[in-house]
Amino acid sequence: MGRDYFFDRDIIIDKEGNVYTILTNYNPPGYVFAYLKYVYTGKGLWKGYERIFKKYGVHNLIKINQMFSFESCYDASFPIVLLSNISRHLKPEERLQEILKKSARDNIIYTLINFIEDYVRVNNVGVTGSILLDNYHNNSDIDIIIYGRKGALDFIESFDGFEKDYEWIIEANENYGIDFANLLYDNRRRGIYKGMKISVLFADDKPWRYCNDVCKKVGKVRFRAHISGDYEALIYPSIAYVLGNNEYNVSKIISYEGIFSSVLFGERQAEIEGLLMRCEKENVVIVGDRDVRGFIRPL
């Protein structure tokens, strides 16, 4: 029997047929954090679905016309879908098992199977994005997701990397208004394989406790720090820890912008701009707030 809780990058379909992608492993009471990605119009590349969320980033997410909920614990609003309005819950791990049991019917599925068999030497893995929804087209990306600490670190440590995706660097610079996306690129996470674009994503293998801490906004800050991130930097939201003292007494960086995940993994000096939050246990900086977009630039 499949799981009845939600993980980051699951897909849900509401009773009107709208398609959403789950954000985070939080499972609040009565709803889920999820953003609207597709609506069915009978037109478009995605087998009749039109993509609503066309470019990633919190600055684009907040423009989507869907329900948002103010979460007092986090002093921020998140896009949500009520549990009572969910008609289907699509799980990446179930979809991948279904694909692996059948013969490849096209080049995208053939490439996915090849990559899984050759490079993903873990069991806890799935496929998300348009392949999970089964509305992919000939130029769709392949989005693989690996669950849990061991699987994530085993893959990162063993995979030599993809052929570099230069288009990702150009698009990231334009979308986020930065000029250092080349420093954020990690060819173990995304790139070209047999002529196709593949992303490898990571998610925790357990649901999270909702509202475990209470935080309040303080204001925009920018500072330099020595940061270090392990497995928590690979999942969403990404977390790294600040080593040593700093002027704002910040102990943790939390990024809701997936583009900075690879920079938070490992140990380095970085310049950080974001929203200072005073929580019950510590001071943290959020990168990816609706009012303070922020960035993490490796030095």
Side-chain angles (χ1 to χ4, degrees):
M1 185 172 179
R3 56 181 166 86
D4 58 359
Y5 42 84
F6 300 90
F7 283 161
D8 187 41
R9 305 290 178 152
D10 288 359
I11 285 178
I12 55 174
I13 303 174
D14 71 14
K15 292 178 179 178
E16 290 75 45
N18 301 311
V19 178
Y20 302 79
T21 299
I22 296 290
L23 283 170
T24 80
N25 280 33
Y26 290 118
N27 283 248
Y31 55 92
V32 290
F33 296 146
Y35 63 84
L36 179 62
K37 188 165 185 180
Y38 298 102
V39 296
Y40 188 81
T41 63
K43 305 174 184 178
L45 290 172
W46 293 273
K47 297 181 181 177
Y49 286 95
E50 287 196 46
R51 186 166 171 172
I52 300 300
F53 193 40
K54 297 179 180 179
K55 292 185 178 181
Y56 291 112
V58 173
H59 59 291
N60 295 315
L61 176 65
I62 60 177
K63 299 174 185 176
I64 297 176
N65 184 22
Q66 72 168 98
M67 183 183 297
F68 279 75
S69 171
F70 179 76
E71 304 295 320
S72 58
C73 294
Y74 310 112
D75 201 11
S77 295
F78 289 79
I80 67 165
V81 177
L82 300 177
L83 295 181
S84 60
N85 197 34
I86 297 175
S87 65
R88 292 181 64 197
H89 177 195
L90 307 182
K91 306 175 186 72
E93 69 275 22
E94 292 181 359
R95 173 70 170 134
L96 181 59
Q97 289 306 309
E98 173 188 312
I99 288 171
L100 294 176
K101 290 176 183 176
K102 299 178 180 178
S103 299
R105 64 179 186 266
D106 55 54
N107 197 36
I108 286 183
I109 297 302
Y110 179 79
T111 303
L112 165 65
I113 293 172
N114 264 230
F115 184 78
I116 291 290
E117 291 179 343
D118 290 346
Y119 296 105
V120 185
R121 302 177 182 89
V122 297
N123 296 320
N124 210 358
V125 61
V127 62
T128 185
S130 58
I131 297 179
L132 173 55
L133 186 60
D134 198 18
N135 69 334
Y136 62 93
H137 55 78
N138 291 336
N139 294 318
S140 288
D141 296 351
I142 296 172
D143 298 305
I144 294 165
I145 187 160
I146 295 173
Y147 298 96
R149 172 183 290 272
K150 186 178 186 307
L153 296 178
D154 283 353
F155 177 83
I156 285 291
E157 291 168 2
S158 64
F159 182 51
D160 291 333
F162 296 103
E163 176 187 339
K164 198 167 188 177
D165 181 1
Y166 292 96
E167 286 185 1
W168 182 91
I169 296 171
I170 295 169
E171 291 169 359
N173 276 331
E174 292 176 352
N175 185 27
Y176 290 89
I178 58 177
D179 60 4
F180 55 89
N182 60 307
L183 302 178
L184 309 177
Y185 184 83
D186 185 342
N187 73 334
R188 297 169 299 177
R189 307 284 303 276
R190 58 179 54 84
I192 311 296
Y193 173 74
K194 295 190 174 180
M196 294 190 175
K197 293 185 178 183
I198 297 186
S199 294
V200 180
L201 310 164
F202 304 97
D204 203 9
D205 55 358
K206 300 178 182 62
W208 296 343
R209 286 181 69 185
Y210 166 72
C211 206
N212 200 32
D213 200 1
V214 177
C215 302
K216 292 297 178 185
K217 294 181 179 180
V218 177
K220 180 178 177 179
V221 296
R222 183 186 290 189
F223 64 105
R224 295 187 174 195
H226 188 186
I227 60 174
S228 177
D230 192 14
Y231 165 66
E232 289 177 302
L234 298 175
I235 60 180
Y236 185 87
S238 305
I239 296 174
Y241 296 89
V242 178
L243 306 178
N245 298 324
N246 60 84
E247 56 194 297
Y248 300 107
N249 293 319
V250 174
S251 60
K252 186 188 297 182
I253 310 297
I254 303 175
S255 177
Y256 283 92
E257 298 284 19
I259 188 175
F260 300 115
S261 175
S262 292
V263 172
L264 294 177
F265 182 71
E267 191 171 321
R268 61 178 46 83
Q269 294 286 332
E271 181 182 18
I272 301 111
E273 179 179 282
L275 178 67
L276 178 62
M277 304 281 288
R278 184 162 291 121
C279 304
E280 292 176 316
K281 302 172 184 176
E282 60 192 338
N283 286 355
V284 306
V285 165
I286 300 292
V287 177
D289 177 74
R290 65 165 54 221
D291 298 318
V292 182
R293 287 170 58 177
F295 60 81
I296 304 164
R297 186 201 309 265
L299 299 174

PDB file of all heavy atoms in Angstrom, residues 258-291:
ATOM      1  N   GLY A 258      15.743  26.994  -5.134  1.00  0.00           N
ATOM      2  CA  GLY A 258      16.522  25.794  -5.398  1.00  0.00           C
ATOM      3  C   GLY A 258      17.814  26.046  -6.150  1.00  0.00           C
ATOM      4  O   GLY A 258      18.746  25.240  -6.077  1.00  0.00           O
ATOM      5  N   ILE A 259      17.904  27.172  -6.838  1.00  0.00           N
ATOM      6  CA  ILE A 259      19.095  27.503  -7.611  1.00  0.00           C
ATOM      7  C   ILE A 259      20.347  27.591  -6.737  1.00  0.00           C
ATOM      8  O   ILE A 259      21.462  27.370  -7.200  1.00  0.00           O
ATOM      9  CB  ILE A 259      18.870  28.832  -8.373  1.00  0.00           C
ATOM     10  CG1 ILE A 259      20.013  29.117  -9.350  1.00  0.00           C
ATOM     11  CG2 ILE A 259      18.696  29.992  -7.427  1.00  0.00           C
ATOM     12  CD1 ILE A 259      19.802  30.339 -10.202  1.00  0.00           C
ATOM     13  N   PHE A 260      20.180  27.884  -5.432  1.00  0.00           N
ATOM     14  CA  PHE A 260      21.333  28.055  -4.540  1.00  0.00           C
ATOM     15  C   PHE A 260      21.677  26.786  -3.752  1.00  0.00           C
ATOM     16  O   PHE A 260      22.600  26.800  -2.939  1.00  0.00           O
ATOM     17  CB  PHE A 260      21.074  29.199  -3.563  1.00  0.00           C
ATOM     18  CG  PHE A 260      20.845  30.524  -4.247  1.00  0.00           C
ATOM     19  CD1 PHE A 260      19.620  31.160  -4.166  1.00  0.00           C
ATOM     20  CD2 PHE A 260      21.847  31.120  -4.984  1.00  0.00           C
ATOM     21  CE1 PHE A 260      19.398  32.375  -4.793  1.00  0.00           C
ATOM     22  CE2 PHE A 260      21.642  32.335  -5.626  1.00  0.00           C
ATOM     23  CZ  PHE A 260      20.412  32.968  -5.534  1.00  0.00           C
ATOM     24  N   SER A 261      20.963  25.711  -3.996  1.00  0.00           N
ATOM     25  CA  SER A 261      21.156  24.489  -3.222  1.00  0.00           C
ATOM     26  C   SER A 261      22.583  23.963  -3.300  1.00  0.00           C
ATOM     27  O   SER A 261      23.187  23.615  -2.282  1.00  0.00           O
ATOM     28  CB  SER A 261      20.173  23.422  -3.707  1.00  0.00           C
ATOM     29  OG  SER A 261      20.399  22.191  -3.067  1.00  0.00           O
ATOM     30  N   SER A 262      23.150  23.921  -4.495  1.00  0.00           N
ATOM     31  CA  SER A 262      24.487  23.345  -4.656  1.00  0.00           C
ATOM     32  C   SER A 262      25.559  24.181  -3.970  1.00  0.00           C
ATOM     33  O   SER A 262      26.581  23.651  -3.524  1.00  0.00           O
ATOM     34  CB  SER A 262      24.817  23.185  -6.144  1.00  0.00           C
ATOM     35  OG  SER A 262      23.991  22.195  -6.730  1.00  0.00           O
ATOM     36  N   VAL A 263      25.342  25.503  -3.878  1.00  0.00           N
ATOM     37  CA  VAL A 263      26.305  26.367  -3.201  1.00  0.00           C
ATOM     38  C   VAL A 263      26.267  26.135  -1.695  1.00  0.00           C
ATOM     39  O   VAL A 263      27.285  26.288  -1.008  1.00  0.00           O
ATOM     40  CB  VAL A 263      26.009  27.848  -3.526  1.00  0.00           C
ATOM     41  CG1 VAL A 263      26.860  28.786  -2.692  1.00  0.00           C
ATOM     42  CG2 VAL A 263      26.271  28.107  -4.999  1.00  0.00           C
ATOM     43  N   LEU A 264      25.117  25.764  -1.173  1.00  0.00           N
ATOM     44  CA  LEU A 264      24.995  25.503   0.259  1.00  0.00           C
ATOM     45  C   LEU A 264      25.572  24.144   0.647  1.00  0.00           C
ATOM     46  O   LEU A 264      25.828  23.888   1.822  1.00  0.00           O
ATOM     47  CB  LEU A 264      23.527  25.589   0.689  1.00  0.00           C
ATOM     48  CG  LEU A 264      22.895  26.978   0.592  1.00  0.00           C
ATOM     49  CD1 LEU A 264      21.416  26.922   0.982  1.00  0.00           C
ATOM     50  CD2 LEU A 264      23.616  27.982   1.479  1.00  0.00           C
ATOM     51  N   PHE A 265      25.759  23.271  -0.332  1.00  0.00           N
ATOM     52  CA  PHE A 265      26.324  21.954  -0.068  1.00  0.00           C
ATOM     53  C   PHE A 265      27.849  22.052  -0.036  1.00  0.00           C
ATOM     54  O   PHE A 265      28.475  22.615  -0.923  1.00  0.00           O
ATOM     55  CB  PHE A 265      25.886  20.968  -1.155  1.00  0.00           C
ATOM     56  CG  PHE A 265      26.375  19.566  -0.935  1.00  0.00           C
ATOM     57  CD1 PHE A 265      25.867  18.784   0.081  1.00  0.00           C
ATOM     58  CD2 PHE A 265      27.350  19.025  -1.753  1.00  0.00           C
ATOM     59  CE1 PHE A 265      26.311  17.486   0.288  1.00  0.00           C
ATOM     60  CE2 PHE A 265      27.807  17.735  -1.577  1.00  0.00           C
ATOM     61  CZ  PHE A 265      27.283  16.964  -0.543  1.00  0.00           C
ATOM     62  N   GLY A 266      28.445  21.521   1.010  1.00  0.00           N
ATOM     63  CA  GLY A 266      29.887  21.625   1.169  1.00  0.00           C
ATOM     64  C   GLY A 266      30.255  22.794   2.056  1.00  0.00           C
ATOM     65  O   GLY A 266      29.409  23.344   2.772  1.00  0.00           O
ATOM     66  N   GLU A 267      31.503  23.187   2.016  1.00  0.00           N
ATOM     67  CA  GLU A 267      31.991  24.250   2.899  1.00  0.00           C
ATOM     68  C   GLU A 267      32.694  25.319   2.082  1.00  0.00           C
ATOM     69  O   GLU A 267      33.529  25.015   1.236  1.00  0.00           O
ATOM     70  CB  GLU A 267      32.954  23.655   3.939  1.00  0.00           C
ATOM     71  CG  GLU A 267      33.324  24.596   5.060  1.00  0.00           C
ATOM     72  CD  GLU A 267      34.098  23.893   6.169  1.00  0.00           C
ATOM     73  OE1 GLU A 267      33.769  22.728   6.492  1.00  0.00           O
ATOM     74  OE2 GLU A 267      35.046  24.507   6.690  1.00  0.00           O
ATOM     75  N   ARG A 268      32.331  26.601   2.327  1.00  0.00           N
ATOM     76  CA  ARG A 268      32.920  27.691   1.550  1.00  0.00           C
ATOM     77  C   ARG A 268      32.617  29.044   2.189  1.00  0.00           C
ATOM     78  O   ARG A 268      31.751  29.159   3.052  1.00  0.00           O
ATOM     79  CB  ARG A 268      32.374  27.683   0.119  1.00  0.00           C
ATOM     80  CG  ARG A 268      30.868  27.870   0.028  1.00  0.00           C
ATOM     81  CD  ARG A 268      30.381  27.898  -1.410  1.00  0.00           C
ATOM     82  NE  ARG A 268      30.940  26.851  -2.236  1.00  0.00           N
ATOM     83  CZ  ARG A 268      30.479  25.605  -2.293  1.00  0.00           C
ATOM     84  NH1 ARG A 268      29.440  25.266  -1.545  1.00  0.00           N
ATOM     85  NH2 ARG A 268      31.040  24.704  -3.057  1.00  0.00           N
ATOM     86  N   GLN A 269      33.308  30.056   1.705  1.00  0.00           N
ATOM     87  CA  GLN A 269      32.984  31.432   2.025  1.00  0.00           C
ATOM     88  C   GLN A 269      31.932  31.915   1.024  1.00  0.00           C
ATOM     89  O   GLN A 269      31.985  31.585  -0.161  1.00  0.00           O
ATOM     90  CB  GLN A 269      34.222  32.322   1.915  1.00  0.00           C
ATOM     91  CG  GLN A 269      35.308  32.020   2.936  1.00  0.00           C
ATOM     92  CD  GLN A 269      34.937  32.507   4.323  1.00  0.00           C
ATOM     93  OE1 GLN A 269      34.190  33.469   4.470  1.00  0.00           O
ATOM     94  NE2 GLN A 269      35.492  31.858   5.334  1.00  0.00           N
ATOM     95  N   ALA A 270      30.966  32.694   1.509  1.00  0.00           N
ATOM     96  CA  ALA A 270      29.908  33.176   0.624  1.00  0.00           C
ATOM     97  C   ALA A 270      29.404  34.528   1.095  1.00  0.00           C
ATOM     98  O   ALA A 270      29.496  34.872   2.282  1.00  0.00           O
ATOM     99  CB  ALA A 270      28.758  32.182   0.580  1.00  0.00           C
ATOM    100  N   GLU A 271      28.884  35.276   0.144  1.00  0.00           N
ATOM    101  CA  GLU A 271      28.166  36.500   0.455  1.00  0.00           C
ATOM    102  C   GLU A 271      26.681  36.173   0.401  1.00  0.00           C
ATOM    103  O   GLU A 271      26.207  35.602  -0.587  1.00  0.00           O
ATOM    104  CB  GLU A 271      28.493  37.601  -0.546  1.00  0.00           C
ATOM    105  CG  GLU A 271      27.783  38.922  -0.264  1.00  0.00           C
ATOM    106  CD  GLU A 271      28.087  39.989  -1.294  1.00  0.00           C
ATOM    107  OE1 GLU A 271      28.568  39.634  -2.402  1.00  0.00           O
ATOM    108  OE2 GLU A 271      27.845  41.173  -1.005  1.00  0.00           O
ATOM    109  N   ILE A 272      25.961  36.529   1.462  1.00  0.00           N
ATOM    110  CA  ILE A 272      24.552  36.175   1.576  1.00  0.00           C
ATOM    111  C   ILE A 272      23.714  37.431   1.724  1.00  0.00           C
ATOM    112  O   ILE A 272      24.038  38.311   2.531  1.00  0.00           O
ATOM    113  CB  ILE A 272      24.291  35.254   2.789  1.00  0.00           C
ATOM    114  CG1 ILE A 272      25.105  33.968   2.669  1.00  0.00           C
ATOM    115  CG2 ILE A 272      22.810  34.933   2.926  1.00  0.00           C
ATOM    116  CD1 ILE A 272      26.198  33.834   3.668  1.00  0.00           C
ATOM    117  N   GLU A 273      22.651  37.518   0.935  1.00  0.00           N
ATOM    118  CA  GLU A 273      21.643  38.555   1.135  1.00  0.00           C
ATOM    119  C   GLU A 273      20.305  37.868   1.326  1.00  0.00           C
ATOM    120  O   GLU A 273      19.968  36.928   0.603  1.00  0.00           O
ATOM    121  CB  GLU A 273      21.564  39.493  -0.070  1.00  0.00           C
ATOM    122  CG  GLU A 273      20.503  40.587   0.099  1.00  0.00           C
ATOM    123  CD  GLU A 273      20.449  41.532  -1.085  1.00  0.00           C
ATOM    124  OE1 GLU A 273      21.334  42.407  -1.163  1.00  0.00           O
ATOM    125  OE2 GLU A 273      19.536  41.371  -1.925  1.00  0.00           O
ATOM    126  N   GLY A 274      19.557  38.309   2.322  1.00  0.00           N
ATOM    127  CA  GLY A 274      18.281  37.680   2.569  1.00  0.00           C
ATOM    128  C   GLY A 274      17.525  38.365   3.685  1.00  0.00           C
ATOM    129  O   GLY A 274      17.858  39.477   4.107  1.00  0.00           O
ATOM    130  N   LEU A 275      16.501  37.687   4.163  1.00  0.00           N
ATOM    131  CA  LEU A 275      15.639  38.213   5.213  1.00  0.00           C
ATOM    132  C   LEU A 275      16.037  37.627   6.559  1.00  0.00           C
ATOM    133  O   LEU A 275      15.982  36.409   6.751  1.00  0.00           O
ATOM    134  CB  LEU A 275      14.179  37.872   4.917  1.00  0.00           C
ATOM    135  CG  LEU A 275      13.155  38.321   5.960  1.00  0.00           C
ATOM    136  CD1 LEU A 275      13.064  39.847   6.024  1.00  0.00           C
ATOM    137  CD2 LEU A 275      11.785  37.722   5.662  1.00  0.00           C
ATOM    138  N   LEU A 276      16.445  38.477   7.480  1.00  0.00           N
ATOM    139  CA  LEU A 276      16.789  38.032   8.831  1.00  0.00           C
ATOM    140  C   LEU A 276      15.511  37.698   9.588  1.00  0.00           C
ATOM    141  O   LEU A 276      14.570  38.492   9.638  1.00  0.00           O
ATOM    142  CB  LEU A 276      17.556  39.128   9.569  1.00  0.00           C
ATOM    143  CG  LEU A 276      17.953  38.832  11.017  1.00  0.00           C
ATOM    144  CD1 LEU A 276      18.902  37.639  11.099  1.00  0.00           C
ATOM    145  CD2 LEU A 276      18.578  40.078  11.655  1.00  0.00           C
ATOM    146  N   MET A 277      15.485  36.496  10.173  1.00  0.00           N
ATOM    147  CA  MET A 277      14.346  36.025  10.955  1.00  0.00           C
ATOM    148  C   MET A 277      14.824  35.709  12.370  1.00  0.00           C
ATOM    149  O   MET A 277      15.842  35.040  12.546  1.00  0.00           O
ATOM    150  CB  MET A 277      13.750  34.765  10.343  1.00  0.00           C
ATOM    151  CG  MET A 277      13.323  34.901   8.897  1.00  0.00           C
ATOM    152  SD  MET A 277      11.745  35.743   8.719  1.00  0.00           S
ATOM    153  CE  MET A 277      10.602  34.494   9.319  1.00  0.00           C
ATOM    154  N   ARG A 278      14.082  36.198  13.356  1.00  0.00           N
ATOM    155  CA  ARG A 278      14.389  35.873  14.743  1.00  0.00           C
ATOM    156  C   ARG A 278      13.450  34.766  15.193  1.00  0.00           C
ATOM    157  O   ARG A 278      12.246  34.966  15.343  1.00  0.00           O
ATOM    158  CB  ARG A 278      14.248  37.122  15.619  1.00  0.00           C
ATOM    159  CG  ARG A 278      14.663  36.880  17.079  1.00  0.00           C
ATOM    160  CD  ARG A 278      14.942  38.190  17.809  1.00  0.00           C
ATOM    161  NE  ARG A 278      16.149  38.847  17.307  1.00  0.00           N
ATOM    162  CZ  ARG A 278      16.167  40.074  16.792  1.00  0.00           C
ATOM    163  NH1 ARG A 278      15.057  40.774  16.702  1.00  0.00           N
ATOM    164  NH2 ARG A 278      17.306  40.601  16.361  1.00  0.00           N
ATOM    165  N   CYS A 279      14.003  33.585  15.379  1.00  0.00           N
ATOM    166  CA  CYS A 279      13.213  32.421  15.785  1.00  0.00           C
ATOM    167  C   CYS A 279      13.397  32.172  17.276  1.00  0.00           C
ATOM    168  O   CYS A 279      14.244  32.778  17.926  1.00  0.00           O
ATOM    169  CB  CYS A 279      13.622  31.198  14.969  1.00  0.00           C
ATOM    170  SG  CYS A 279      13.502  31.438  13.176  1.00  0.00           S
ATOM    171  N   GLU A 280      12.618  31.254  17.815  1.00  0.00           N
ATOM    172  CA  GLU A 280      12.687  30.952  19.246  1.00  0.00           C
ATOM    173  C   GLU A 280      14.067  30.432  19.646  1.00  0.00           C
ATOM    174  O   GLU A 280      14.560  30.739  20.723  1.00  0.00           O
ATOM    175  CB  GLU A 280      11.617  29.920  19.605  1.00  0.00           C
ATOM    176  CG  GLU A 280      10.193  30.433  19.493  1.00  0.00           C
ATOM    177  CD  GLU A 280       9.170  29.350  19.773  1.00  0.00           C
ATOM    178  OE1 GLU A 280       9.342  28.220  19.255  1.00  0.00           O
ATOM    179  OE2 GLU A 280       8.208  29.618  20.507  1.00  0.00           O
ATOM    180  N   LYS A 281      14.684  29.644  18.769  1.00  0.00           N
ATOM    181  CA  LYS A 281      15.923  28.971  19.121  1.00  0.00           C
ATOM    182  C   LYS A 281      17.173  29.647  18.562  1.00  0.00           C
ATOM    183  O   LYS A 281      18.272  29.439  19.081  1.00  0.00           O
ATOM    184  CB  LYS A 281      15.875  27.521  18.625  1.00  0.00           C
ATOM    185  CG  LYS A 281      14.701  26.718  19.180  1.00  0.00           C
ATOM    186  CD  LYS A 281      14.600  25.362  18.508  1.00  0.00           C
ATOM    187  CE  LYS A 281      13.376  24.593  18.985  1.00  0.00           C
ATOM    188  NZ  LYS A 281      13.217  23.297  18.268  1.00  0.00           N
ATOM    189  N   GLU A 282      17.019  30.458  17.484  1.00  0.00           N
ATOM    190  CA  GLU A 282      18.197  31.000  16.811  1.00  0.00           C
ATOM    191  C   GLU A 282      17.779  32.071  15.815  1.00  0.00           C
ATOM    192  O   GLU A 282      16.596  32.247  15.532  1.00  0.00           O
ATOM    193  CB  GLU A 282      18.920  29.872  16.069  1.00  0.00           C
ATOM    194  CG  GLU A 282      18.031  29.202  15.025  1.00  0.00           C
ATOM    195  CD  GLU A 282      18.610  27.921  14.489  1.00  0.00           C
ATOM    196  OE1 GLU A 282      19.834  27.728  14.573  1.00  0.00           O
ATOM    197  OE2 GLU A 282      17.831  27.089  13.976  1.00  0.00           O
ATOM    198  N   ASN A 283      18.755  32.771  15.285  1.00  0.00           N
ATOM    199  CA  ASN A 283      18.539  33.690  14.170  1.00  0.00           C
ATOM    200  C   ASN A 283      18.869  32.973  12.868  1.00  0.00           C
ATOM    201  O   ASN A 283      19.902  32.296  12.769  1.00  0.00           O
ATOM    202  CB  ASN A 283      19.432  34.921  14.295  1.00  0.00           C
ATOM    203  CG  ASN A 283      18.954  35.882  15.364  1.00  0.00           C
ATOM    204  OD1 ASN A 283      17.894  35.690  15.962  1.00  0.00           O
ATOM    205  ND2 ASN A 283      19.730  36.914  15.626  1.00  0.00           N
ATOM    206  N   VAL A 284      17.992  33.114  11.882  1.00  0.00           N
ATOM    207  CA  VAL A 284      18.230  32.507  10.579  1.00  0.00           C
ATOM    208  C   VAL A 284      18.055  33.567   9.497  1.00  0.00           C
ATOM    209  O   VAL A 284      17.411  34.599   9.729  1.00  0.00           O
ATOM    210  CB  VAL A 284      17.292  31.309  10.317  1.00  0.00           C
ATOM    211  CG1 VAL A 284      17.378  30.285  11.435  1.00  0.00           C
ATOM    212  CG2 VAL A 284      15.857  31.766  10.120  1.00  0.00           C
ATOM    213  N   VAL A 285      18.611  33.313   8.326  1.00  0.00           N
ATOM    214  CA  VAL A 285      18.387  34.169   7.167  1.00  0.00           C
ATOM    215  C   VAL A 285      17.684  33.347   6.098  1.00  0.00           C
ATOM    216  O   VAL A 285      18.127  32.245   5.754  1.00  0.00           O
ATOM    217  CB  VAL A 285      19.704  34.760   6.631  1.00  0.00           C
ATOM    218  CG1 VAL A 285      19.507  35.342   5.231  1.00  0.00           C
ATOM    219  CG2 VAL A 285      20.212  35.846   7.566  1.00  0.00           C
ATOM    220  N   ILE A 286      16.570  33.898   5.600  1.00  0.00           N
ATOM    221  CA  ILE A 286      15.806  33.264   4.536  1.00  0.00           C
ATOM    222  C   ILE A 286      16.204  33.874   3.205  1.00  0.00           C
ATOM    223  O   ILE A 286      16.200  35.096   3.038  1.00  0.00           O
ATOM    224  CB  ILE A 286      14.291  33.467   4.754  1.00  0.00           C
ATOM    225  CG1 ILE A 286      13.838  32.868   6.091  1.00  0.00           C
ATOM    226  CG2 ILE A 286      13.494  32.877   3.585  1.00  0.00           C
ATOM    227  CD1 ILE A 286      13.900  31.371   6.155  1.00  0.00           C
ATOM    228  N   VAL A 287      16.533  33.034   2.245  1.00  0.00           N
ATOM    229  CA  VAL A 287      16.754  33.471   0.867  1.00  0.00           C
ATOM    230  C   VAL A 287      15.571  32.976   0.050  1.00  0.00           C
ATOM    231  O   VAL A 287      15.294  31.774   0.012  1.00  0.00           O
ATOM    232  CB  VAL A 287      18.073  32.908   0.308  1.00  0.00           C
ATOM    233  CG1 VAL A 287      18.241  33.315  -1.161  1.00  0.00           C
ATOM    234  CG2 VAL A 287      19.252  33.384   1.132  1.00  0.00           C
ATOM    235  N   GLY A 288      14.849  33.921  -0.566  1.00  0.00           N
ATOM    236  CA  GLY A 288      13.659  33.548  -1.326  1.00  0.00           C
ATOM    237  C   GLY A 288      12.377  33.983  -0.655  1.00  0.00           C
ATOM    238  O   GLY A 288      11.347  33.324  -0.777  1.00  0.00           O
ATOM    239  N   ASP A 289      12.404  35.108   0.040  1.00  0.00           N
ATOM    240  CA  ASP A 289      11.186  35.690   0.602  1.00  0.00           C
ATOM    241  C   ASP A 289      10.511  36.526  -0.485  1.00  0.00           C
ATOM    242  O   ASP A 289      11.170  37.037  -1.384  1.00  0.00           O
ATOM    243  CB  ASP A 289      11.554  36.566   1.808  1.00  0.00           C
ATOM    244  CG  ASP A 289      10.342  37.271   2.394  1.00  0.00           C
ATOM    245  OD1 ASP A 289       9.538  36.599   3.060  1.00  0.00           O
ATOM    246  OD2 ASP A 289      10.201  38.496   2.171  1.00  0.00           O
ATOM    247  N   ARG A 290       9.195  36.699  -0.397  1.00  0.00           N
ATOM    248  CA  ARG A 290       8.484  37.453  -1.429  1.00  0.00           C
ATOM    249  C   ARG A 290       8.917  38.917  -1.464  1.00  0.00           C
ATOM    250  O   ARG A 290       8.850  39.566  -2.512  1.00  0.00           O
ATOM    251  CB  ARG A 290       6.967  37.355  -1.250  1.00  0.00           C
ATOM    252  CG  ARG A 290       6.416  37.973   0.015  1.00  0.00           C
ATOM    253  CD  ARG A 290       4.903  38.161  -0.065  1.00  0.00           C
ATOM    254  NE  ARG A 290       4.212  36.921  -0.392  1.00  0.00           N
ATOM    255  CZ  ARG A 290       3.181  36.867  -1.247  1.00  0.00           C
ATOM    256  NH1 ARG A 290       2.778  37.954  -1.864  1.00  0.00           N
ATOM    257  NH2 ARG A 290       2.577  35.728  -1.478  1.00  0.00           N
ATOM    258  N   ASP A 291       9.363  39.458  -0.335  1.00  0.00           N
ATOM    259  CA  ASP A 291       9.778  40.860  -0.287  1.00  0.00           C
ATOM    260  C   ASP A 291      11.284  41.038  -0.403  1.00  0.00           C
ATOM    261  O   ASP A 291      11.759  42.072  -0.871  1.00  0.00           O
ATOM    262  CB  ASP A 291       9.291  41.507   1.015  1.00  0.00           C
ATOM    263  CG  ASP A 291       7.768  41.512   1.124  1.00  0.00           C
ATOM    264  OD1 ASP A 291       7.111  41.796   0.103  1.00  0.00           O
ATOM    265  OD2 ASP A 291       7.245  41.213   2.218  1.00  0.00           O
TER     266      ASP A 291
END
